[in-house]
Amino acid sequence: MGDARAGVFNLRISNATLDDDAEFQCQVGPARLHKAIRANARLTVISPPSSIEIVDHPPNSKIEIKENEEFELVCQVKNSKPAAKIIWYRGNVELKLEKRVDTTTEVNAGANGRAKRYNVLSRIKLRPTAEDDYADYTCEARHEALPPDMPLRVTVQLSVLYPPGVPYIEGYTEGEVIRRGQTVELVCRSRGGNPPAQLIWYKNGEQIRMAYRTAGRLSENVYSFTADASDNSAHYRCQASNIMSPAPLKADVTLTVLFAPAQVSISGPTEARAGDEVQLTCTTANSNPPAEIKWMVGGRHVRNATQRVIPSPDGGHITTSNITVTVAHNRRSVVVICHGLNMQLTENVVSTHTINVLHPPGPPIIQGYTEGSIHAGTVQKISCISSGGNPLATLTWYKNDKKISSTTKVSDRSVSAEITILTNVSDNEARYRCEASNSATEIPLFQIITLNVYFPPDHVVIRKEPEKLTPGVRATLTCDSSSSNPEAELSWWREGIAVPGVTNVTRPGLHGGKVSSIMLNLDVTPELDGNVYTCQATNTAMQRSVHDAFTLHVFYKPVFEEAPKDMQTGVEGESLVLSVKAKAHPGDIVYTWTKDGNVVGKSDESRIITEGPVLNITQLQKDDAGSYTCEAINSEGATSVTINVTVQYAAIVREAPESIMVAPGEDAHLYCVVDGNPLAKKHITWKHKAFSESDMKKRTSSSFRNGTSYLDVVQPTRADNGLFSCIANNGIGKPSSKDVHLIVMYKPEIDNSPMFAKGASNTGDTGRLTCRASGAPKVRFAWAREGSPIPTNTDKYDVQFRQVDLVTYESALLIHHVRPSDYGNYECIARNNISFATVTVRLDVTSAPDTPSALTVLNVTHDSVTVSWVPGFDGGVQPTYRIRYRPTSATFEGYKYVDVTKPDSNTYAITGLDAATDYTISIMAFNKLGASKYLPDLLRAKTSSGPPGKSGTAGVGIGPDVPDALLGKADVPRLVIVGVSVTGALLVLFNIALVACFVYRKRAKAASEQSSSKSATIEMYAPSSYNETVTGETLSSVSEKSESYSNGDSNQEYLEDNTKPPAASTYLIDQMEYPYQYPAYEVQHQPKPHHEEGSETMNRNTYNPSVEGAKLHYATLPPPPSHADGPYYNISPDARYVAYPPQLEFAHLTGSLRRPTAAAGMGSAVRAPSTVPPPDVTVSHNPPPVPPPAVVQNGPTPLLSTFNPNLGYPASVEAEGHLV
């Protein structure tokens, strides 16, 4: 800037920052003979403060502090240049404090950190007083970069805590007079204080009100009440306090209340005889000032009555006055009136008292009873009347001097009292008395009557002599009646028939009646025990009677009623109950059971239980047989009975030799020891699976003696080797058997199964070769290689020997630290005393297992099929077996798969099948090194039509729940059955022909379009020993021409557009971690011009062999298009090892595998119309070019393997990334 011609050069700095705060120099020249010219200029950049704060206190906050307590405020102003100036204010007045401390600190700023800014800290100390309450303290920052009228400010407010002012009371002035009932409002106020004062009212030292209100720093408590006598001279105190008060502040007032007496009361007698002097006292309630008492008797004022005044504890005074009144003869009552007057309030209270004058009543008169007799149980009413008297008489009834209740009726001049009697025996000769009295009588007036009541006897009592009755004793029964009026007549009865007795004299009884007695003599016999004799007492005047029965108890020892059988038979394991019955008196019979003299049923053994005359033996045992005696005992003696018990038990074979070995041509002698009851020769049979019933009769003979059965086999041969079963069955329990193995000596025979033909081991490991042979006698083994015996039990070789069964033996040669030179053939020699045999066993490197053989069906139910197989060579690694199955008729549906992971298993039950469905089943084996081929699809099994026990179950017997009546109706004419069978067979053949024609046409069309298409035969999980080509992940051999798929034509259907239909369903696999580690291998990419014809690759799922029987289902997905001449990649592994699939990436802890990125981006592929692979295969022969990775919109990365239903992926997403 400036004018260059004029030599003016100006420097403009825009948007100056602290970095521009420096010294600038303007330089001119040098030019020609002139030196350089320099001029300096200093630029100072100022910056306003960035913030202001009072430390630890937000702006406009309230600070609570106690009065006279020292307090510090700290104000901080940040980032100013030059340093800002701080000014403190109280309200709007600037503070000039001597103890103020300001501190300035330097702060680096700017882009290079060389610029300087300043923070200013100002501290002030305060000792606030009550005047500082609500005071604002402001910190202001002034700076030349700030507008003068807009400084930075921050303010806080103090809340000073200090005690309240002294309370004062309004609403009543000391000495003021208040009347009772007047409304009084006492107001207590206290000013000042922070927090505001708490006000509490007290009356005579007791708290009466705590509620108060505040307005600012003013507190107020208003107590309103209605004055009463208790408020006179009452001391009211108001107390004020807050948290700053060292002690409560108080204000007091004492009230004066005037009130008249609320009442007056007269005390003294209310009755008096004529001429008596009566003392009366009148007392007022409390009054202020004291009340005066005025008397009036019979309408006349009483003068000069004495008065006495005493202070009342409830306030005021109480006045008392006494007078004496003389009762006149000519008056019935005297009325006395007392007045209580409060002269200052001119109020008067009155009370009245009446004295009745007493006169005696007239004598009582009894009415309603006439001399004679009353029957007990009848109702009798009797009344008593008295006339005159003041007051009227009080009538009271007594029965035999005991007061009884009555019903009283009163008229003007008389009174009556009536009693109602429900007569009973106690009323006979009872004295009833009526008394009349009032206040004027000193001795009651009375009248008495005596009742005569007829009553029957209440009961009879029967006594016997002697006390204990025994046979042969003469007994006397005596019957005494209870009291009766008139006396009762007695009689004896037995079973409704009168029995004559001897009548005794009568004697006086209770309630004025008489007691009668009668006797009966008896000769006691046992037959009298339990006989009932009845005594009857009758009151003939009333025609009422009472009776009682007496049962004779004759004491005798027990007698068994029915003699039990001497012999009882039971079956072992069942229950046996022995029951006897005895009678005796007393009936408390103790039964004791003994066996052969020993008490039974008394121990803790719960099997033998005795309950009185019953002996219960549960689960009979052989030892329970013997003589059982039951002894019945009571206090009179004992009797016993004996029963013999025999126990039958199931025959059981106790002993038999495990095996019998004989030379060819010799007779074999077999035996077994049998125990049972009953037991005879007919109860023992011998059986052999290879012997028919006629063979047993011709070639064997049996005998039985001393509990042992003997079987002689005439000249057995090698074909007779096997188990002879000794079976004992006597009809009790289940048959018992033991097997005797008959062994006819023969030379060794070596097992040439595939699993024993080879052994496998890696270099450095221990190799194991197994040789198994059978023979008799015992087989011995020797090992050789290339004609030379192998030394055993050395560091290099060990031999293990074990006996598999009675005639099978096994020898294992262990080769330690295997070297390449150890691979090859070894010779096993098995020999015994008869001859020898040899076999060659080969040691190879570990490999994929061989295909299992002999797949057979063991059992079929409505929803499962159990299969078994013979394992092949395992390749030296623990194998796992995979079973595939599908409905045979469902040509277009895929296979389902299940892995058998249990070690050394050769059977498995396939569950979850449909009923009455024909299934095609195959099997293969795999280990971590590879997999075998599947067996041809030749095994078929059909499930039954329903659960066991239901009618219509195919291949299964009719269940036991079907009634016999229904079984009889199950017969169908044979002609109908044949006709239905032939018709069904023709329909099946026709369907097969249609399907075969259709498939043939499709295959021909596919072959013509793809004549040049090639494919590589690739083994599942790892290549076979003949083809080690691996594409991507683990694959499966699916060659149509191989033996793996004999019925591959029926696996998939092809549509007219030469594509496979979509999978009918997707089978899910449990997400589990792959159990094996994948080693790294060197991969060579070699282009090949052609594929091998007729095979496709398969994308496989993970599995977990640790889960026994876990089902793994695989989804069928379309293969990508096949290119006739396109190259593909071949992995060439080391010749000694089988290649593994590449290392996989685990998606999450459950073990699902993520798709490789390249595979995920392949997209969907067009299905190739090539040969038909099984439906568990997805193949890609030539991987297409990998497009740029697709952008994932939402959700997790799709998982390799079958779909997880919880993730909710559409089928299209899974299909696009499923190819290898």
Side-chain angles (χ1 to χ4, degrees):
M1 296 180 63
D3 189 353
R5 284 186 245 175
V8 177
F9 298 93
N10 296 331
L11 174 65
R12 173 181 289 173
I13 300 175
S14 301
N15 296 326
T17 65
L18 292 178
D19 293 334
D20 298 322
D21 191 315
E23 188 175 84
F24 293 82
Q25 189 179 72
C26 177
Q27 298 181 358
V28 180
R32 297 181 183 176
L33 300 176
H34 299 282
K35 297 181 179 179
I37 303 172
R38 295 177 176 84
N40 295 332
R42 177 73 186 179
L43 176 62
T44 300
V45 179
I46 65 176
S47 175
S50 62
S51 64
I52 183 171
E53 65 173 343
I54 294 179
V55 178
D56 297 332
H57 300 290
N60 300 317
S61 63
K62 181 174 288 188
I63 303 173
E64 191 174 83
I65 185 173
K66 294 182 179 180
E67 184 181 28
N68 296 321
E69 185 176 86
E70 191 174 70
F71 177 68
E72 183 181 66
L73 287 178
V74 180
C75 180
Q76 184 176 26
V77 181
K78 296 183 178 180
N79 300 325
S80 64
K81 183 182 178 187
K85 181 180 179 182
I86 294 178
I87 299 175
W88 286 93
Y89 292 89
R90 182 183 184 277
N92 295 323
V93 178
E94 182 178 349
L95 291 175
K96 304 293 185 179
L97 300 173
E98 297 179 357
K99 294 184 180 181
R100 169 174 168 173
V101 178
D102 291 354
T103 305
T104 303
T105 57
E106 192 175 83
V107 181
N108 293 331
N112 53 15
R114 291 180 298 175
K116 305 297 181 182
R117 289 193 181 187
Y118 300 93
N119 292 345
V120 180
L121 203 68
S122 178
R123 301 174 183 271
I124 63 174
K125 291 187 177 181
L126 305 175
R127 191 178 295 275
T129 63
E131 287 75 15
D132 290 316
D133 189 30
Y134 288 115
D136 291 335
Y137 280 79
T138 303
C139 174
E140 180 180 281
R142 294 184 180 179
H143 195 273
E144 53 191 302
L146 294 173
D149 57 343
M150 296 180 63
L152 286 179
R153 299 171 65 100
V154 63
T155 301
V156 295
Q157 188 181 77
L158 296 188
S159 176
V160 180
L161 303 179
Y162 62 97
V166 176
Y168 56 92
I169 298 174
E170 297 179 349
Y172 180 79
T173 303
E174 196 80 33
E176 182 180 349
V177 174
I178 301 172
R179 285 175 173 264
R180 180 170 56 187
Q182 180 179 339
T183 299
V184 181
E185 184 176 89
L186 299 180
V187 181
C188 177
R189 293 189 178 92
S190 174
R191 298 186 181 275
N194 184 21
Q198 179 188 35
L199 300 178
I200 301 176
W201 275 106
Y202 293 86
K203 176 182 178 182
N204 297 327
E206 293 183 2
Q207 180 177 307
I208 56 174
R209 179 175 173 82
M210 282 189 63
Y212 66 95
R213 59 192 176 194
T214 62
R217 293 291 185 253
L218 173 66
S219 296
E220 182 180 78
N221 189 339
V222 178
Y223 178 53
S224 297
F225 60 96
T226 300
D228 58 18
S230 64
D231 292 316
N232 184 48
S233 301
H235 183 73
Y236 285 84
R237 182 176 77 250
C238 176
Q239 188 170 289
S241 64
N242 69 0
I243 59 175
M244 297 300 294
S245 303
L249 304 175
K250 304 174 184 177
D252 303 89
V253 65
T254 301
L255 302 187
T256 299
V257 179
L258 299 183
F259 54 91
Q263 64 181 9
V264 293
S265 59
I266 301 174
S267 60
T270 58
E271 293 178 345
R273 296 184 182 91
D276 290 347
E277 290 186 352
V278 178
Q279 298 289 332
L280 299 177
T281 301
C282 181
T283 304
T284 67
N286 52 338
S287 173
N288 188 30
E292 293 184 10
I293 294 177
K294 301 294 185 180
W295 288 95
M296 182 178 288
V297 178
R300 297 181 179 182
H301 290 283
V302 178
R303 302 183 182 277
N304 301 323
T306 60
Q307 297 187 15
R308 185 166 61 96
V309 177
I310 59 175
S312 172
D314 298 326
H317 301 81
I318 296 175
T319 304
T320 304
S321 177
N322 298 321
I323 62 171
T324 300
V325 177
T326 302
V327 178
H329 289 273
N330 57 350
R331 306 188 63 173
R332 295 182 62 86
S333 64
V334 178
V335 177
V336 179
I337 299 175
C338 176
H339 295 266
L341 296 91
N342 187 312
M343 304 302 292
Q344 185 170 346
L345 297 177
T346 65
E347 292 185 13
N348 181 24
V349 183
V350 178
S351 178
T352 301
H353 183 79
T354 301
I355 303 173
N356 292 320
V357 181
L358 303 178
H359 301 279
I365 301 173
I366 296 177
Q367 298 176 347
Y369 173 73
T370 305
E371 290 292 337
S373 62
I374 304 173
H375 287 197
T378 59
V379 176
Q380 181 72 39
K381 291 186 176 181
I382 305 174
S383 63
C384 177
I385 301 173
S386 175
S387 301
N390 185 29
L392 292 176
T394 299
L395 300 180
T396 306
W397 276 98
Y398 294 87
K399 177 184 177 181
N400 297 330
D401 299 330
K402 183 178 180 181
K403 184 178 179 181
I404 58 176
S405 61
S406 61
T407 301
T408 301
K409 295 180 181 180
V410 179
S411 62
D412 290 341
R413 299 297 296 171
S414 65
V415 61
S416 66
E418 183 180 69
I419 59 174
T420 301
I421 306 171
L422 177 59
T423 56
N424 56 35
V425 295
S426 65
D427 293 317
N428 186 44
E429 298 184 354
R431 289 163 50 87
Y432 282 84
R433 183 175 77 254
C434 177
E435 292 185 354
S437 63
N438 68 2
S439 303
T441 59
E442 295 181 358
I443 298 175
L445 306 175
F446 63 89
Q447 185 179 6
I448 298 175
I449 61 173
T450 301
L451 301 185
N452 182 24
V453 178
Y454 282 179
F455 57 90
D458 178 69
H459 62 276
V460 293
V461 177
I462 301 175
R463 296 176 288 110
K464 71 176 186 297
E465 292 181 2
E467 186 64 27
K468 182 177 181 180
L469 303 182
T470 57
V473 174
R474 184 174 181 82
T476 300
L477 300 182
T478 303
C479 177
D480 298 323
S481 73
S482 61
S483 181
S484 174
N485 183 27
E487 67 270 15
E489 294 182 1
L490 301 179
S491 60
W492 283 105
W493 300 81
R494 175 185 173 186
E495 297 179 358
I497 301 174
V499 178
V502 179
T503 303
N504 291 342
V505 296
T506 61
R507 61 184 181 276
L510 296 176
H511 311 297
K514 294 182 179 181
V515 174
S516 302
S517 298
I518 190 172
M519 291 191 304
L520 178 66
N521 297 321
L522 298 173
D523 293 324
V524 178
T525 63
E527 289 73 17
L528 290 180
D529 183 44
N531 285 355
V532 177
Y533 286 83
T534 303
C535 175
Q536 179 173 295
T538 304
N539 185 317
T540 56
M542 299 181 66
Q543 294 299 308
R544 293 178 62 181
S545 64
V546 64
H547 65 272
D548 190 16
F550 181 80
T551 302
L552 295 183
H553 297 292
V554 180
F555 291 81
Y556 61 96
K557 68 179 182 178
V559 177
F560 288 98
E561 295 181 358
E562 295 181 4
K565 296 180 179 180
D566 294 339
M567 182 68 67
Q568 295 286 341
T569 301
V571 178
E572 183 181 24
E574 297 181 0
S575 297
L576 177 64
V577 177
L578 302 180
S579 178
V580 297
K581 185 177 181 182
K583 64 178 182 178
H585 189 85
D588 295 333
I589 303 175
V590 177
Y591 294 88
T592 303
W593 286 89
T594 59
K595 177 192 174 186
D596 301 330
N598 299 318
V599 177
V600 296
K602 298 298 184 182
S603 64
D604 295 335
E605 182 181 1
S606 59
R607 195 177 57 82
I608 301 178
I609 302 173
T610 59
E611 293 183 1
V614 179
L615 173 68
N616 186 359
I617 306 176
T618 60
Q619 297 181 350
L620 269 174
Q621 298 178 0
K622 292 179 290 185
D623 297 339
D624 294 332
S627 296
Y628 290 81
T629 299
C630 177
E631 184 179 30
I633 306 172
N634 72 352
S635 59
E636 301 302 310
T639 308
S640 63
V641 64
T642 299
I643 304 173
N644 294 317
V645 174
T646 300
V647 179
Q648 294 182 346
Y649 53 92
I652 183 171
V653 180
R654 295 289 184 189
E655 179 184 346
E658 184 179 6
S659 63
I660 298 293
M661 185 179 297
V662 297
E666 294 181 357
D667 290 346
H669 304 287
L670 286 63
Y671 71 91
C672 64
V673 179
V674 185
D675 184 22
N677 183 23
L679 185 62
K681 181 180 178 180
K682 66 179 180 180
H683 297 137
I684 303 170
T685 57
W686 288 85
K687 289 186 179 181
H688 188 285
K689 288 193 296 184
F691 280 48
S692 65
E693 187 174 347
S694 60
D695 290 338
M696 291 296 292
K697 291 181 179 180
K698 292 178 182 179
R699 300 189 53 194
T700 66
S701 62
S702 62
S703 61
F704 178 79
R705 57 185 179 273
N706 298 328
T708 303
S709 177
Y710 299 92
L711 179 70
D712 296 330
V713 184
V714 179
Q715 295 182 354
T717 64
R718 168 73 187 283
D720 299 330
N721 277 6
L723 298 177
F724 280 82
S725 298
C726 173
I727 305 172
N729 185 5
N730 61 359
I732 300 174
K734 296 181 179 179
S736 171
S737 67
K738 279 189 181 295
D739 295 332
V740 181
H741 201 129
L742 175 60
I743 303 173
V744 179
M745 297 181 184
Y746 63 96
K747 66 179 182 179
E749 295 177 356
I750 296 179
D751 188 346
N752 292 317
S753 300
M755 60 188 301
F756 299 115
K758 291 187 292 184
S761 175
N762 292 327
T763 304
D765 294 340
T766 298
R768 182 185 181 93
L769 300 178
T770 304
C771 181
R772 179 177 289 186
S774 65
K778 183 177 180 179
V779 177
R780 302 179 301 278
F781 295 89
W783 290 87
R785 187 178 188 193
E786 297 177 356
S788 301
I790 295 176
T792 59
N793 299 327
T794 64
D795 293 340
K796 182 65 178 176
Y797 300 101
D798 275 332
V799 173
Q800 296 178 349
F801 174 84
R802 74 184 183 98
Q803 184 173 354
V804 179
D805 55 33
L806 290 175
V807 295
T808 306
Y809 306 87
E810 186 177 280
S811 176
L813 176 65
L814 303 181
I815 306 170
H816 301 292
H817 311 295
V818 173
R819 298 189 297 270
S821 60
D822 294 329
Y823 294 106
N825 294 332
Y826 291 78
E827 185 178 20
C828 172
I829 303 97
R831 68 175 69 246
N832 65 4
N833 295 341
I834 298 177
S835 184
F836 70 93
T838 63
V839 69
T840 299
V841 185
R842 182 174 180 80
L843 178 64
D844 282 337
V845 295
T846 55
S847 64
D850 291 344
T851 303
S853 61
L855 181 64
T856 57
V857 176
L858 296 180
N859 187 38
V860 174
T861 68
H862 71 287
D863 63 350
S864 68
V865 174
T866 302
V867 296
S868 69
W869 60 90
V870 176
F873 174 58
D874 60 8
V877 180
Q878 177 69 41
T880 299
Y881 299 97
R882 174 164 295 149
I883 299 173
R884 72 178 186 185
Y885 59 95
R886 64 178 175 84
T888 304
S889 61
T891 307
F892 309 116
E893 291 189 9
Y895 287 94
K896 292 184 179 180
Y897 297 81
V898 62
D899 284 357
V900 183
T901 58
K902 184 178 180 180
D904 302 325
S905 177
N906 66 339
T907 61
Y908 187 78
I910 307 170
T911 59
L913 304 180
D914 296 331
T917 304
D918 191 60
Y919 284 89
T920 298
I921 306 171
S922 182
I923 191 171
M924 56 87 80
F926 63 91
N927 59 19
K928 65 180 181 180
L929 301 181
S932 73
K933 299 177 181 179
Y934 277 98
L935 280 177
D937 285 348
L938 299 178
L939 181 66
R940 293 173 57 180
K942 185 175 182 181
T943 56
S944 57
S945 59
K950 292 186 178 180
S951 60
T953 303
V956 181
I958 298 177
D961 296 335
V962 180
D964 295 339
L966 297 180
L967 294 178
K969 300 178 182 179
D971 296 334
V972 178
R974 185 172 302 176
L975 182 61
V976 176
I977 296 175
V978 173
V980 173
S981 301
V982 171
T983 303
L986 291 175
L987 289 175
V988 171
L989 292 175
F990 180 73
N991 289 333
I992 292 174
L994 287 178
V995 172
C997 180
F998 178 75
V999 173
Y1000 177 79
R1001 293 181 60 187
K1002 293 299 180 181
R1003 291 181 58 192
K1005 183 177 180 180
S1008 64
E1009 293 179 357
Q1010 295 294 331
S1011 59
S1012 60
S1013 176
K1014 307 295 181 180
S1015 63
T1017 300
I1018 302 174
E1019 295 296 324
M1020 177 168 54
Y1021 291 98
S1024 68
S1025 58
Y1026 302 102
N1027 184 357
E1028 295 178 325
T1029 303
V1030 176
T1031 302
E1033 298 184 21
T1034 56
L1035 308 174
S1036 174
S1037 172
V1038 295
S1039 175
E1040 179 184 286
K1041 296 181 180 180
S1042 69
E1043 296 178 354
S1044 300
Y1045 304 100
S1046 62
N1047 60 347
D1049 296 342
S1050 63
N1051 291 337
Q1052 296 255 1
E1053 177 187 0
Y1054 285 82
L1055 306 179
E1056 293 298 331
D1057 58 354
N1058 300 327
T1059 60
K1060 296 178 184 176
S1065 62
T1066 300
Y1067 298 98
L1068 302 182
I1069 178 175
D1070 295 334
Q1071 299 177 357
M1072 297 173 286
E1073 296 184 356
Y1074 196 79
Y1076 308 119
Q1077 298 294 327
Y1078 296 106
Y1081 294 98
E1082 191 174 301
V1083 179
Q1084 300 177 1
H1085 300 282
Q1086 299 177 356
K1088 287 191 177 182
H1090 300 287
H1091 298 288
E1092 292 185 14
E1093 187 175 354
S1095 65
E1096 294 180 350
T1097 61
M1098 182 179 72
N1099 187 17
R1100 305 301 293 176
N1101 294 301
T1102 61
Y1103 71 99
N1104 188 350
S1106 64
V1107 181
E1108 179 179 352
K1111 288 190 176 182
L1112 307 182
H1113 303 294
Y1114 299 86
T1116 301
L1117 292 176
S1122 175
H1123 299 276
D1125 300 323
Y1128 74 103
Y1129 299 99
N1130 182 31
I1131 301 174
S1132 299
D1134 191 299
R1136 291 294 309 284
Y1137 300 93
V1138 179
Y1140 286 77
Q1143 181 71 38
L1144 301 180
E1145 177 185 0
F1146 289 91
H1148 45 69
L1149 294 177
T1150 59
S1152 298
L1153 305 178
R1154 293 186 180 275
R1155 290 190 178 87
T1157 305
M1162 287 180 183
S1164 60
V1166 179
R1167 298 172 177 84
S1170 60
T1171 56
V1172 183
D1176 63 338
V1177 178
T1178 304
V1179 189
S1180 175
H1181 303 296
N1182 294 312
V1186 179
V1191 177
V1192 179
Q1193 298 296 332
N1194 291 305
T1197 305
L1199 303 177
L1200 184 61
S1201 81
T1202 54
F1203 314 140
N1204 186 338
N1206 296 325
L1207 299 179
Y1209 299 130
S1212 59
V1213 175
E1214 179 67 21
E1216 291 177 358
H1218 199 69
L1219 304 180
V1220 176

